[in-house]
Amino acid sequence: MNKYLLQLGHCPDASFAEIVAVNERLSIQSESLERHGDVCLLHAPSSEIIHSLCEELGGTIRAAEIFYHKKGSDFSSLDALTPERLCELLQSAQIDRRLMERKQRPVFGISLASAMETRSSRAVESLLSRTAVLLKEHLREQGVSCRFIQPDAQGKSYCLSGAQVEKNKLLQDGMEILLYMHPRDGLYLASTIWLQHYEEYSRRDYGRPGRDSRSGMLPPKLARIMINLVRTTTTSTLLDPFCGSGGIVTEAGIMGLQAVGLDKSSKAVADTIQNWEWLQSNLPSSQGDVRAIQGDARNLHTLCEPLFFDACACEPYLGPPTNKPLDPGRFEALTRELIPLYLRALAEIRIVVKPGSRVAFIAPRFRLKGDKEIGSLALLSAIKLQGYAILEPLAGFKPSNGRTTLIYSRPKQVVQREIFVLKA
Ligand SMILES: C[S@@+](CC[C@H](N)C(=O)[O-])C[C@H]1O[C@@H](n2cnc3c(N)ncnc32)[C@H](O)[C@@H]1O
């Protein structure tokens, strides 16, 4: 059994919850899953299995195969490492042999797996670039002539960009060496084997023809996370009763599901159909089937057959777009408007999904003016009263933040997304 490292996207809780769900569905060694901040470690029998797991995921950025582990508290933070020490460790891990196996004059790069690094960016950059210089010199002495590339400084990430890895063919002919300092377990060295298809996601996000930026469009990566949170081995039909321009249903179609989108706006229905046609001609591998109908989510039972769907995922109307924190009075008024819509829609969803189906539902949380920083909608007890079980996607995994829901948001975002995962 080999050990692998998955680098989680910008909302690591949601990305990890997605891995847990897909791992369960594909039955891959779930007992070995371990998570620390923005990194997940797991065992798997082969890198092919990791590839197939990652191809399903929307929230994971990279996968790497671990080839060296140095235990000890001295190696649990970058502080104890000098370029000389790190270069020695890379030599102990037989990096020269590994690179020689690749190609004449291979290219390598050194990235940090976790962005949760406390050292200053300058110190990290200097450690990585001086180590690369030392390693190149050492390799030349061993008769291996190679070239290295350095991460473009991007905020707090010390990783090569996907474009750098691809342009320099590091996965095929060279190596991206990923360093990971486990908080208790020492240093891991890994070699990247899979990268998220960032260009395809970006094309689906910004290139789709039917758009409505005012009502908000779900990024395809989040759409995929939502679908994975509700999909089980028996899921073939999925409903989104607030489909907008079809972010969730079209992603479900790419994933091979039969998806039905409903929206009260005729433009949203036309956008969804247009986007699905566009995707079918641009991504011919999309095997599923997508339909869109106009209607009100508060009347679902009149529009859809009872107990028909295997799963439901949606982002309803979140209130008018705003980029300014709300004053408490405005928040109260929005609460009075949104809660009845959500509870009514959830009651209707329960009629049209099969018993035991999972439902992923996004509700907004708002940044507020004044002392109380965040205002969330008090939905949990009413949802339970409707007969739903609240699934806790991260229960049983440490570190637990005690939350029942998942937050998907950028720091300081005014309207944040809170994902409820329910069982009907
Ligand atoms: C935030 S958008 C959904 C975005 C969508 N997930 C996407 O990726 O494009 C919310 C949508 O809910 C629709 N909507 C609002 N109230 C509705 C209702 N009562 N029934 C059905 N659709 C509704 C709006 O027309 C809007 O398109």
Side-chain angles (χ1 to χ4, degrees):
M1 216 36 118
N2 297 328
K3 194 161 186 172
Y4 298 87
L5 178 159
L6 305 186
Q7 188 184 42
L8 307 176
H10 78 91
C11 293
D13 277 354
S15 305
F16 183 62
E18 181 192 32
I19 293 173
V20 172
V22 175
N23 194 58
E24 188 184 304
R25 175 160 61 80
L26 302 183
S27 319
I28 307 169
Q29 288 296 314
S30 59
E31 73 280 6
S32 79
L33 274 180
E34 199 191 320
R35 181 235 173 153
H36 301 276
D38 52 359
V39 162
C40 163
L41 298 172
L42 77 167
H43 285 96
S46 69
S47 57
E48 286 74 31
I49 293 207
I50 293 296
H51 267 264
S52 20
L53 168 68
C54 292
E55 288 294 319
E56 297 287 319
L57 302 171
T60 293
I61 299 171
R62 267 181 172 71
E65 182 164 347
I66 292 168
F67 60 80
Y68 185 80
H69 179 198
K70 181 82 179 168
K71 284 197 175 196
S73 52
D74 277 3
F75 300 102
S76 57
S77 115
L78 273 188
D79 292 341
L81 282 181
T82 60
E84 291 74 18
R85 187 77 186 101
L86 189 50
C87 189
E88 267 173 39
L89 289 165
L90 286 162
Q91 290 170 34
S92 319
Q94 299 188 307
I95 204 76
D96 36 2
R97 182 181 58 73
R98 290 172 194 283
L99 272 167
M100 266 192 286
E101 281 167 4
R102 301 291 165 115
K103 186 189 169 208
Q104 291 262 310
R105 208 168 147 65
V107 185
F108 73 88
I110 308 178
S111 294
L112 214 55
S114 172
M116 296 184 172
E117 174 52 50
T118 49
R119 290 229 315 202
S120 75
S121 29
R122 199 173 268 272
V124 178
E125 268 164 45
S126 147
L127 173 70
L128 297 187
S129 62
R130 287 180 53 212
T131 304
V133 171
L134 289 177
L135 183 61
K136 182 178 155 147
E137 278 168 14
H138 162 77
L139 290 164
R140 200 178 44 224
E141 284 162 16
Q142 304 300 306
V144 187
S145 157
C146 58
R147 194 162 67 77
F148 68 85
I149 50 172
Q150 285 178 271
D152 299 329
Q154 308 170 332
K156 281 210 61 79
S157 156
Y158 306 102
C159 265
L160 296 168
S161 66
Q164 285 179 299
V165 173
E166 266 169 24
K167 190 164 151 254
N168 292 284
K169 299 202 166 99
L170 293 200
L171 301 193
Q172 301 83 14
D173 300 336
M175 191 187 249
E176 182 186 35
I177 302 164
L178 217 55
L179 298 186
Y180 177 56
M181 327 296 290
H182 188 293
R184 291 183 310 280
D185 229 10
L187 169 76
Y188 285 95
L189 296 176
S191 159
T192 302
I193 56 168
W194 177 89
L195 270 188
Q196 187 171 59
H197 305 294
Y198 61 94
E199 273 182 339
E200 277 182 27
Y201 274 115
S202 163
R203 196 148 52 98
R204 297 218 280 278
D205 203 356
Y206 303 107
R208 51 186 152 165
R211 311 181 60 77
D212 186 349
S213 42
R214 210 189 132 68
S215 82
M217 290 182 297
L218 208 68
K221 290 179 194 176
L222 176 57
R224 190 165 273 250
I225 292 175
M226 296 278 287
I227 297 161
N228 278 325
L229 289 173
V230 296
R231 186 178 181 187
T232 66
T233 46
T234 54
T235 303
S236 62
T237 51
L238 178 134
L239 168 72
D240 176 354
F242 296 91
C243 70
S245 48
I248 292 177
V249 284
T250 53
E251 199 64 25
I254 296 173
M255 293 163 81
L257 300 175
Q258 288 170 40
V260 175
L262 180 107
D263 203 289
K264 69 174 190 188
S265 138
S266 57
K267 171 173 168 23
V269 171
D271 284 346
T272 297
I273 293 168
Q274 187 186 17
N275 287 340
W276 178 237
E277 284 168 358
W278 176 79
L279 270 169
Q280 281 179 303
S281 43
N282 282 279
L283 254 185
S285 58
S286 311
Q287 293 289 319
D289 178 41
V290 174
R291 278 153 209 226
I293 45 176
Q294 192 177 357
D296 192 320
R298 290 169 295 192
N299 280 326
L300 264 180
H301 75 279
T302 62
L303 301 158
C304 308
E305 227 178 277
L307 310 181
F308 179 78
F309 291 99
D310 300 319
C312 172
C314 62
E315 174 181 63
Y317 168 65
L318 305 179
T322 170
N323 53 15
K324 293 207 179 76
L326 303 187
D327 63 53
R330 176 79 190 111
F331 171 65
E332 288 307 323
L334 257 180
T335 303
R336 282 196 297 276
E337 179 188 352
L338 297 180
I339 289 183
L341 169 67
Y342 296 173
L343 291 179
R344 176 71 193 269
L346 280 165
E348 294 281 319
I349 290 168
R350 209 158 166 269
I351 299 173
V352 298
V353 298
K354 292 179 185 139
S357 302
R358 295 184 192 177
V359 176
F361 192 93
I362 292 180
R365 300 163 94 220
F366 299 96
R367 203 162 271 287
L368 301 181
K369 286 185 190 151
D371 301 340
K372 193 168 174 260
E373 273 221 323
I374 295 286
S376 313
L377 302 191
L379 284 164
L380 277 176
S381 28
I383 292 176
K384 278 191 214 159
L385 277 177
Q386 292 191 338
Y388 282 104
I390 315 286
L391 299 181
E392 295 181 39
L394 294 178
F397 287 93
K398 285 183 184 164
S400 158
N401 56 10
R403 286 203 76 85
T404 312
T405 54
L406 301 164
I407 307 302
Y408 194 91
S409 154
R410 298 267 176 199
K412 305 260 176 219
Q413 200 166 315
V414 173
V415 184
Q416 308 186 352
R417 293 174 163 114
E418 178 165 22
I419 307 173
F420 293 75
V421 188
L422 314 171
K423 190 169 169 187

